[in-house]
Amino acid sequence: MPKIVDHEERRTHIADAATQVIIRVGFDSLTMREIATEAGYAHGAIARYFPDKRSILTAAFLRLYTLANDRIHARIEGVRGLEALERICREILPYSPNGPLYAKVVIAFWDHASQDDEVTRIHRMNNLHWRDLFRQCLVEARDDGELADDVDIETAVNEIASRNAGWQMISVLMPDSAGDGRLNDGLDALLSTLRRPSPPRPS
């Protein structure tokens, strides 16, 4: 009886293998042969699922995005407002040990997104989902009375997205300026600009 192949599982396995190779050698030095070796497949098996390097990079990025999204939704279940926002950021930011490594894949994808309309479309679609989550948390924070009065929600969404993206680049290009402590300080500073000040204690 012929073996039944789970093609989606195989695609996922190849995307995970590609992620590990990109982390080791970078995207420009990536070869289909290296991915095949990492995945434990014949070279032809890779080409059957991914015809070129761009499709491999896209699959690796989407795999990381999906894993992060799964973690986010698990972490914010039953939580709202600024606490939910903090939990989302902690899943997106490049915390050790894996965050700085995965950021290499993200930055490679961004580079190609800037030059390829189809890759740009894929990035935009996924990024908009996270921006919707940021917005939802901020609206909840406003409704719950924990958002500072002077916070404009759309401006805040842009700021949160920019901070998260910026830390991805810093973790790869200036790792001595990153690290978990710096990420915590940066996130705390960001949240402090959003949170309504505590009322003064009576003297």
Side-chain angles (χ1 to χ4, degrees), residues 35-148:
I35 297 171
T37 300
E38 180 75 24
Y41 296 148
H43 179 271
I46 304 298
R48 176 180 178 184
Y49 293 96
F50 300 102
D52 51 36
K53 287 177 62 174
R54 186 193 76 168
S55 62
I56 283 276
L57 176 62
T58 300
F61 172 82
L62 290 177
R63 173 68 171 154
L64 293 179
Y65 173 84
T66 298
L67 291 172
N69 216 32
D70 288 346
R71 294 194 305 271
I72 285 170
H73 286 284
R75 289 272 290 151
I76 65 173
E77 185 175 358
V79 182
R80 56 185 280 131
L82 294 184
E83 181 179 351
L85 178 62
E86 179 177 355
R87 293 187 183 194
I88 292 169
C89 290
R90 288 191 180 280
E91 294 300 335
I92 297 174
L93 289 168
Y95 282 98
S96 62
N98 292 322
L101 302 177
Y102 294 156
K104 294 182 179 181
V105 180
V106 173
I107 290 177
F109 185 82
W110 287 346
D111 180 50
H112 280 259
S114 69
Q115 306 170 51
D116 187 307
D117 289 343
E118 176 60 18
V119 180
T120 297
R121 185 192 67 78
I122 293 169
H123 178 265
R124 175 180 173 79
M125 178 180 63
N126 289 284
N127 191 260
L128 284 175
H129 174 67
W130 280 352
R131 292 171 70 93
D132 285 344
L133 288 178
F134 300 155
R135 186 177 297 106
Q136 174 186 317
C137 292
L138 292 168
V139 169
E140 291 170 351
R142 182 185 61 195
D143 292 345
D144 294 346
E146 60 176 344
L147 194 69

